[in-house]
Amino acid sequence: MITFNEVSASSYGTQWQSINWKAVEQHVLKLQMRIAKATREGKQGKVKALQWILTHSKSAKLLAVKRVSKNKGSKTPGIDGIIWNTDARCMTAVNQLSRKGYQAKPLRRIYIPKKNGKLRPLGIPCMIDRAQQALHLTALEPVSESIVDPNSYGFRPNRSTADAIAQCFKCLCKKGSAQWVLEADIKACFDKIGHQWLIDNIQMDKRMLKQWLRCGFIDKGLFYKTAEGTPQGGIISPTLMLLTLAGLEQLVKSIARKTGDKINFIGYADDFVITGTSKEVLTNEIKPQLIHFLQDRGLTLSEEKTHITHINDGFDFLGFNVRKYNGKLLIKPSKSNVLSFLRNMREFIRKHLTIPVNDLIKMMNPKLRGWANYYRHCVAKKVFGYVGHQIFWMLWRWATRRHPTKSRHWIARKYFLNRKGQWQFHGWQKIANMDCLFNLVQIAHTPIKRHVKIRSAAIPYDPQYEAYLSKRKLGKECRNTWFNPVLSAL
């Protein structure tokens, strides 16, 4: 016997599957472009009215639920233990996504390890709170994209670390470029942003914003209030952080106009570098103004991570080392990141001593391919060769531990294939009843190609950049179509 709930769930599931997502996205984008235009024209009342229309539209609610139910964290529940893992639940959530009577639940606090051995606290909202944040983010992002610093590249659509590194090259590569670099890092940026500053300055629904800022969190069964900061783990938190730091580049440029020095700003999330022609300007002019700017927002610089360095000595930024060698600027993978990657791979291989070869290759290939793709735009050919060599010896030790009584020649024949003098780790898989080689990605064969930086002023909500961004996206898809099969065939 079929119950009413089963019929209802089936109906909701059918509704979700029949949605025309392209039409939904186009409707939301039109409203977002109107919000961005009103922001550029300084029409604050119109911005507020359009944001209200967008956050109450069915299309925006559908996209918000789709975003939180399909991303990587969708299987991690909040304190209520609820996840949206079926189409029917997603459609039900859309109908429940209302501002009236909404009350944010406390966050579930978890901790993840950082590179320095410390723990980073994350606040996991419930699914309904994530959807509400995603809904209001669709209305806040056009405002954010219109006012954030042009050379800020973190947590923004169509931008990446490769763009930030390309901007570093552009600002430092010439003989007459700035020679000194202020490497800055904000101490516990997400956890220390002042609530009152956010409420007074962020252009969005204040009632909703206050709930997310003051909802508190539950850690080991105990409830704690939140008096400052935005939760790391909240969908809207990165955009709130970007808006908090908006104006840094304008501040730097205003000082440059007064002093007549060449000063540039390159930012990625809460990490940024400022280049200058003299150490005195960075120390006596830029840094005090920077500290004052951050204090107004409840933030402070991390003294242990903030340095002023000469370009000939080089500096690390986003996992890259930027340095001039005899007047020539070279950007390479940072030594610490290379060693960290090899250490992680060595530990990973040791933990999987007894698994089948194909399973090991399946788990290793995404790691190798992802790391190589991250660095394939810089001077990394020698580093890739070194990493590939180290991976070979890790796998050789893995194979000899599996077969302590076998000879080296037997192990080489079983696990390695000699191709033009290079030994390649491989397994075998059945394809159409045929035994086919299943190879490990050869990181040393990754082609190096210079990244074309996005225009600093290009945003997706400005019609004048629509054709440019579409062409850029199409070119990227074509490159990926060529690149991925090549790597997988190695």
Side-chain angles (χ1 to χ4, degrees):
M1 181 178 179
I2 301 175
T3 64
F4 174 78
N5 288 337
E6 289 173 340
V7 174
S8 178
S10 176
S11 174
Y12 278 164
T14 304
Q15 288 179 40
W16 182 264
Q17 293 165 10
S18 63
I19 294 170
N20 184 350
W21 289 108
K22 189 173 182 180
V24 168
E25 290 168 0
Q26 287 177 346
H27 177 69
V28 171
L29 181 60
K30 283 182 181 179
L31 280 172
Q32 288 178 316
M33 294 180 82
R34 291 178 64 190
I35 292 171
K37 182 181 178 182
T39 303
R40 291 192 297 272
E41 294 172 351
K43 299 177 180 179
Q44 305 303 325
K46 189 174 181 180
V47 170
K48 187 176 181 180
L50 289 170
Q51 285 182 323
W52 181 272
I53 293 171
L54 182 56
T55 54
H56 286 73
S57 72
K58 184 72 173 287
S59 296
K61 291 178 180 179
L62 285 167
L63 281 184
V65 172
K66 182 184 178 184
R67 178 172 181 174
V68 301
S69 63
K70 303 301 179 185
N71 65 13
K72 291 182 179 179
S74 61
K75 296 180 182 178
T76 305
I79 60 167
D80 58 1
I82 295 174
I83 57 173
W84 298 339
N85 55 358
T86 65
D87 293 342
R89 289 182 179 181
C90 290
M91 200 66 217
T92 304
V94 172
N95 298 327
Q96 294 174 347
L97 209 59
S98 173
R99 181 180 185 273
K100 185 177 181 181
Y102 170 71
Q103 183 66 44
K105 296 182 176 65
L107 307 170
R108 182 165 72 91
R109 175 61 60 90
I110 63 172
Y111 297 89
I112 59 173
K114 297 169 66 175
K115 287 184 179 179
N116 57 10
K118 298 180 181 179
L119 294 176
R120 185 192 302 278
L122 289 184
I124 308 299
C126 298
M127 295 295 287
I128 189 68
D129 295 330
R130 289 182 229 175
Q132 286 283 11
Q133 289 188 24
L135 174 63
H136 286 265
L137 179 59
T138 59
L140 181 62
E141 196 168 65
V143 177
S144 169
E145 284 295 295
S146 301
I147 65 177
V148 296
D149 298 320
N151 287 303
S152 178
Y153 297 94
F155 300 126
R156 295 182 62 186
N158 304 313
R159 302 191 178 214
S160 65
T161 53
D163 292 305
I165 294 301
Q167 181 66 14
C168 287
F169 183 86
K170 183 179 177 181
C171 295
L172 295 165
C173 66
K174 297 179 181 178
K175 288 184 178 180
S177 299
Q179 298 294 305
W180 292 91
V181 180
L182 170 63
E183 311 167 59
D185 183 84
I186 301 170
K187 189 175 183 179
C189 182
F190 281 95
D191 299 327
K192 297 295 183 181
I193 298 174
H195 283 183
Q196 196 57 48
W197 190 93
L198 289 171
I199 293 167
D200 294 341
N201 293 276
I202 301 300
Q203 193 168 358
M204 64 171 293
D205 191 323
K206 306 295 183 184
R207 176 177 172 269
M208 304 297 283
L209 179 60
K210 288 177 183 178
Q211 289 206 48
W212 297 327
L213 294 177
R214 298 171 180 173
C215 65
F217 63 91
I218 293 179
D219 186 13
K220 298 177 181 177
L222 299 177
F223 174 79
Y224 298 88
K225 293 182 179 179
T226 46
E228 59 185 4
T230 61
Q232 295 190 54
I235 291 175
I236 205 169
S237 295
T239 303
L240 294 178
M241 185 270 295
L242 285 176
L243 287 167
T244 303
L245 300 181
L248 267 176
E249 186 170 2
Q250 186 179 354
L251 173 68
V252 167
K253 294 297 183 183
S254 66
I255 297 173
R257 285 191 292 269
K258 291 179 183 177
T259 61
D261 284 23
K262 295 178 182 177
I263 303 176
N264 291 289
F265 170 90
I266 306 105
Y268 191 91
D270 58 341
D271 294 328
F272 57 91
V273 295
I274 300 172
T275 67
T277 52
S278 68
K279 187 176 182 180
E280 290 72 25
V281 170
L282 294 177
T283 305
N284 302 326
E285 297 289 340
I286 298 290
K287 195 172 180 180
Q289 292 278 5
L290 190 60
I291 292 171
H292 179 70
F293 177 91
L294 295 174
Q295 280 178 344
D296 290 343
R297 292 152 174 77
L299 301 171
T300 56
L301 284 177
S302 173
E303 291 298 329
E304 62 181 13
K305 296 181 181 179
T306 301
H307 312 284
I308 297 177
T309 313
H310 196 274
I311 190 61
N312 290 341
D313 298 324
F315 65 95
D316 288 349
F317 184 51
L318 304 177
F320 295 83
N321 180 260
V322 184
R323 182 181 172 186
K324 272 189 176 179
Y325 299 82
N326 298 322
K328 184 176 182 179
L329 184 72
L330 297 180
I331 300 177
K332 305 177 181 180
S334 68
K335 185 177 179 179
S336 60
N337 272 37
V338 173
L339 296 178
S340 175
F341 176 71
L342 289 175
R343 187 165 51 249
N344 291 339
M345 291 304 300
R346 190 175 292 111
E347 187 64 27
F348 175 83
I349 292 170
R350 282 177 182 170
K351 286 182 178 178
H352 297 87
L353 179 63
T354 59
I355 66 171
V357 179
N358 284 5
D359 292 344
L360 181 67
I361 293 175
K362 285 178 183 177
M363 290 188 288
M364 286 183 65
N365 275 351
K367 298 176 185 292
L368 295 171
R369 190 179 290 116
W371 194 83
N373 284 350
Y374 186 77
Y375 287 111
R376 70 189 175 102
H377 302 298
C378 70
V379 184
K381 200 64 181 177
K382 284 187 177 179
V383 173
F384 285 168
Y386 170 76
V387 170
H389 181 71
Q390 294 297 315
I391 295 292
F392 167 82
W393 284 112
M394 292 177 199
L395 292 170
W396 179 262
R397 287 190 288 270
W398 174 87
T400 54
R401 282 197 298 269
R402 284 169 69 97
H403 306 284
T405 62
K406 298 294 184 179
S407 69
R408 290 179 300 169
H409 296 290
W410 185 93
I411 293 172
R413 286 196 303 270
K414 181 173 177 62
Y415 293 107
F416 296 90
L417 187 68
N418 191 339
R419 285 186 171 175
K420 297 180 181 180
Q422 294 185 349
W423 291 93
Q424 183 175 350
F425 190 74
H426 72 89
W428 295 93
Q429 61 180 347
K430 286 277 187 182
I431 299 178
N433 295 323
M434 295 176 62
D435 288 330
C436 298
L437 282 173
F438 184 49
N439 296 329
L440 186 75
V441 165
Q442 292 290 86
I443 200 169
H445 293 172
T446 304
I448 304 297
K449 187 172 183 180
R450 179 65 57 86
H451 175 76
V452 180
K453 191 186 84 69
I454 191 171
R455 295 177 191 171
S456 298
I459 62 172
Y461 309 112
D462 191 339
Q464 67 173 315
Y465 294 110
E466 189 174 357
Y468 165 74
L469 291 174
S470 297
K471 185 178 179 181
R472 184 179 172 86
K473 184 178 180 181
L474 181 63
K476 185 177 180 181
E477 288 175 352
C478 290
R479 288 194 299 272
N480 288 341
T481 302
W482 170 84
F483 186 74
N484 288 337
V486 169
L487 274 182
S488 60
L490 293 175

